Amino acid sequence: MRSDQMKKGMERAPHRSLFKAMGYTDEEIQRPLIGVANSFNEIIPGHIHLRQITEAVKAGIRMAGGTPVEFGGIGICDGIAMNHLGMRYSLASRELIADSVEVMAQGHPFDGLVVIPSCDKITPGMLMAILRLNIPSIVVTGGPMLTGNWNGKKVNLISVFEGIGKVKRGDMTEDELNELESCACPTCGSCAGMFTANSMNCLSEALGLALPGNGTIPAVDAARIRLAKQTGMQVMHLVEKDIKPRDIATAQAFKNAIAVDMALGCSTNTVLHVPAVAHEAEVDLPLEAFNEMSTRTAHLCSLIPAGPHSLYDLNLAGGIQAIMHELDELGVIDKDALTVTGKTVGENIKNAVVRNREVIRPVSDPYHKEGGIAILYGNLAADGSVVKQSAVAPEMLKHKGPARVFEGEADAYDAILGGKIKPGDIVVIRYEGPKGGPGMPEMLSPTAAIVGMGLDKQVALLTDGRFSGGTQGAAIGHISPEAAEGGLIGLVKEGDIIEIDIPARKLTLNVPEQELAERRSQWKPPAPRIKKGYLARYAAQVTSGAQGAVLKQP
């Protein structure tokens, strides 16, 4: 066993003594030692209940003959970090999370690993860690939040963000907004829509690294506790059979995950996280793979924020396994891919059933004929940009308008709420990329403000930053190269005409090349916003959003 390095033989008597200092018995020490990475904290709704999930995992490990060894992990709540300095730390925390799990599992050589994330950067960070370590491992998350109910309508966190714009517009009172904020997030769990957290939790299942049901069983459902126990038991099977994450997360598995991504209409953040996870798996996954799968797949689910259905609705309709069963008709699912069940995808989905054809449409009658995400190229995004096309109003799929340029999110947000953005405008927010931000902050506040001000069918927003999974509308992010790296977005001037053509996958700045050359000769990179600490180190090492914003290798 791998853990023999720290427990077997006379020479390890001091090591065993330290285990015994914590109350471990000889029998517990002799069993396989399973690391349990618990990312519980008291700042993230999706993590507040993870002590209970972790205890269930540990019970499952013990039932199957192993000894669980729990350790903690960090996590940032993107919603609480939104629209202030904290958001610059969110994406950057992904690398710290991966590194911390690696450090714990290498410093203490466990025989297997169960990682328990739930939200935003914690799930991809822990996925990156288990693929980097490549010891028998499995993921179980905390599950999605239920939707709230306000005046008979389903509501969620994004409803509150959009409510700010409605108050500014006069469509809602401050008292009503206060009522809304008190009922929009009624339970623990990852926020109730196909936002980044639930996107990655569903894709963990589609990749085969989590048990069926992981992506959709609600946080408050007893089935989530049973799933956690089953996960604890299943990691012992993986240890026994020596099934490692890279045996599962192959190129075929990543294609399966992208197909599910397109069918669900997942967060654009998946285009950052899935390539970063693939990078750790040593699988080549170029950005163009998302476009290729988008044209082969169909958008089968109309989920919050782009549609009416919640993760609970999706769970009742059959969940991720039912979606994969449906997608198999298009020939985009590799059924031979192995999963943590010890079985293939084909075996797992064989008996899957779609229970609600409005929540999971048939491939013959999808919500959209193409997948939920599109990658746009052009002179304004030579290395690519990302849009959730399933959340764009039909009239905004093609749009041409004048640029309204802002050197950061805060000024743009104030201009939107101040009524300074007019129908037809294209808001450009730059110097918010991985390097320039630093940290590539999400732009949920300005996009929600655009919706709240009633401009989502008339105004587009472009940025070298990124968007929350809760964003809807013509919001195009991850523009690469970013402004801080000399990208063309840094040369845009107020009033320049920009042309968006999502069906043709084009993003064009209509300025003559001679003029652009003159502007380029005058351009100088701005001074870094943050000059010391972790973010300064991150900015010096991070790669492009088109490469998943992974760190440069030494």
Side-chain angles (χ1 to χ4, degrees), residues 14 18 45 89 191 330 463:
L18 292 168
Y89 285 86
C191 293
L330 293 176
T463 182

Side-chain angles (χ1 to χ4, degrees), residues 310-369:
S310 68
L311 267 290
Y312 185 48
D313 296 328
L314 179 59
N315 188 63
L316 294 176
I320 302 307
Q321 302 302 304
I323 288 172
M324 295 180 82
H325 185 273
E326 188 67 26
L327 287 173
D328 184 44
E329 292 192 23
L330 293 176
V332 295
I333 296 296
D334 191 315
K335 293 190 290 186
D336 293 329
L338 183 64
T339 74
V340 289
T341 64
K343 301 176 182 178
T344 64
V345 167
E347 291 172 305
N348 288 346
I349 68 174
K350 182 178 179 181
N351 297 316
V353 176
V354 176
R355 300 187 183 93
N356 186 327
R357 279 298 183 186
E358 188 60 22
V359 177
I360 303 175
R361 288 273 186 92
V363 293
S364 59
D365 183 28
Y367 282 99
H368 298 96
K369 292 181 180 180

Side-chain angles (χ1 to χ4, degrees), residues 50-66:
L50 291 189
R51 282 175 172 163
Q52 186 181 20
I53 299 294
T54 299
E55 288 304 316
V57 167
K58 289 159 68 176
I61 292 169
R62 291 190 184 102
M63 283 191 286

